[in-house]
Amino acid sequence: MSHVADLRETGWENHLKGVDTVFHFAAQNPFPHATWKDSIASFDMTANVFYAAVAAKVRRVVFASSNHVMGGHKEEGINCNDAKMITPDTDPFPGTKADVPSKIDSTPYACAKLYGERLARSLGKLTGGRTSFVCLRIGWCRDGANLPSTLSYAGGAEEITDAQKK
């Protein structure tokens, strides 16, 4: 079963009644160069879906987060020789900055994803686990082979088109 509508609007509870699992992979702008305005809209979408899922007693919500939630660790001036391992216990540090091919600062995008993770954790606890949440920190996926040699310093595609920036 699927429904197409604007996730920025509330009132999704009726669409989710009887649903076992919700996959929430939507965003206002799903690219790391999203503006603060885009990111606020994305978080509102996430909150609307999460609250509706809890109200409808959905068993599980799967949320597409991002590796950019941890991207700030790359910005600490760490080089390959003294880099520390990021583990499940490492605190989030949102944002990745790069100048390839133009200036990119993923902090707004990353913060929206981190806020979604935190809301998921809070709602999971609030429901006593009746609605569980799985947050996937997804990296960049390209068409074809996804090899280290095909990624830029920012951890993404070599080029971000003008159409994607709008």
Side-chain angles (χ1 to χ4, degrees):
M1 168 190 331
S2 66
H3 297 281
V4 178
D6 189 343
L7 294 178
R8 293 170 294 187
E9 297 173 2
T10 59
W12 280 84
E13 297 82 5
N14 291 332
H15 294 296
L16 300 182
K17 285 186 179 165
V19 170
D20 180 73
T21 304
V22 170
F23 291 86
H24 177 49
F25 283 44
Q28 175 78 15
N29 179 346
F31 296 99
H33 60 270
T35 65
W36 280 108
K37 185 176 179 179
D38 289 333
S39 297
I40 290 166
S42 292
F43 178 70
D44 288 345
M45 293 163 66
T46 297
N48 289 341
V49 170
F50 286 8
Y51 288 130
V54 168
K57 299 182 178 159
V58 169
R59 184 179 65 86
R60 174 166 292 149
V61 177
V62 180
F63 172 58
S65 186
S66 172
N67 61 335
H68 286 268
V69 167
M70 303 301 283
H73 289 289
K74 184 176 70 61
E75 306 305 323
E76 292 183 304
I78 297 173
N79 64 49
C80 293
N81 296 324
D82 62 1
K84 62 183 176 189
M85 183 178 294
I86 293 177
T87 70
D89 297 323
T90 304
D91 288 331
F93 189 174
T96 297
K97 296 176 179 72
D99 290 321
V100 180
S102 60
K103 273 201 183 306
I104 295 172
D105 180 355
S106 74
T107 302
Y109 170 81
C111 284
K113 294 299 187 176
L114 177 59
Y115 299 157
E117 289 181 14
R118 295 290 168 92
L119 180 59
R121 182 173 57 193
S122 295
L123 291 174
K125 287 180 182 178
L126 182 69
T127 66
R130 183 190 74 227
T131 299
S132 65
F133 291 82
V134 177
C135 299
L136 306 173
R137 286 187 179 156
I138 301 171
W140 195 283
C141 299
R142 298 173 50 115
D143 291 338
N146 283 267
L147 304 171
S149 61
T150 65
L151 296 176
S152 73
Y153 171 78
E158 294 294 337
E159 297 177 358
I160 295 177
T161 67
D162 287 337
Q164 291 171 325
K165 290 180 184 177
K166 294 179 182 176

